[in-house]
């Protein structure tokens, strides 16, 4: 049997708990533990409180990991386009091999001065063909 000084404290605690439960709409029912019959919980829960801890009546916290993003590896760089083969020039006016080589070098120098010829091989190639055609050569 409890001591006479402890009994009023137990009754007071039960009354306060009952009023608190009614204020929260629980009407004297305990959630999260057993009751010993007068509204005093037998188990207070791991975090204290007569509702059995801070999460009773609320959904449990959900920990969500960020989604894994799979990225495709970058495509390998495209190989540069192949340069057209050097054309073969045939003299139309009877030029010799030394004259052919001198004209070819002069036309190559002139072709490099044309706009965009150094950036675009096609421009350089067309300029060289035009120059050699003007000097009397056919190309294949």
């Amino acid at each position: 049997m409890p001591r006479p000084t402890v009994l009023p404290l137990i009754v007071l605690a039960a009354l306060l708990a009952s009023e608190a439960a009614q204020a929260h709409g629980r009407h004297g029912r305990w959630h999260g533990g057993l009751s010993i019959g007068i509204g005093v919980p037998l188990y207070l829960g791991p975090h204290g409180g007569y509702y059995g801890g801070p999460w009773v009546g609320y959904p449990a916290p959900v920990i969500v990991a960020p989604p894994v993003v799979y990225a495709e590896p970058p495509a390998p760089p495209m190989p540069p386009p192949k340069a057209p083969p050097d054309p073969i020039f045939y003299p139309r006016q009877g030029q010799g091999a030394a004259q052919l080589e001198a004209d070819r070098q002069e036309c190559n120098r002139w072709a490099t001065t044309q706009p965009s010829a150094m950036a675009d091989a096609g421009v350089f190639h067309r300029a060289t063909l035009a120059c050699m055609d003007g000097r009397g050569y056919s190309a294949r």
Side-chain angles (χ1 to χ4, degrees):
M1 178 157 181
R3 294 185 185 174
T5 56
V6 177
L7 188 59
L9 292 176
I10 292 175
V11 171
L12 181 63
L15 288 173
L16 290 175
S18 177
E19 288 178 20
Q22 287 175 4
H24 289 286
R26 307 251 190 252
H27 303 292
R29 284 178 255 133
W30 292 93
H31 298 278
L34 299 174
S35 175
I36 58 172
I38 58 171
V40 178
L42 185 62
Y43 174 68
L44 292 175
H47 302 289
Y50 63 92
Y51 290 114
W55 302 113
V56 174
Y58 300 100
V62 177
I63 299 173
V64 178
V68 177
V69 178
Y70 294 101
E72 292 185 26
M78 296 295 295
K82 292 183 178 180
D86 287 337
I88 299 172
F89 293 107
Y90 297 99
R92 287 189 305 226
Q93 300 167 350
Q95 299 96 325
Q99 183 64 40
L100 171 67
E101 189 58 34
D103 287 340
R104 180 191 295 261
Q105 288 178 2
E106 185 61 34
C107 284
N108 282 345
R109 266 189 238 110
W110 177 81
T112 59
T113 64
Q114 301 309 303
S116 304
M118 298 307 291
D120 186 359
V123 172
F124 177 80
H125 184 70
R126 286 189 302 272
T128 304
L129 290 176
C131 177
M132 291 297 281
D133 183 52
R135 291 180 182 244
Y137 295 93
S138 297
R140 278 198 189 189

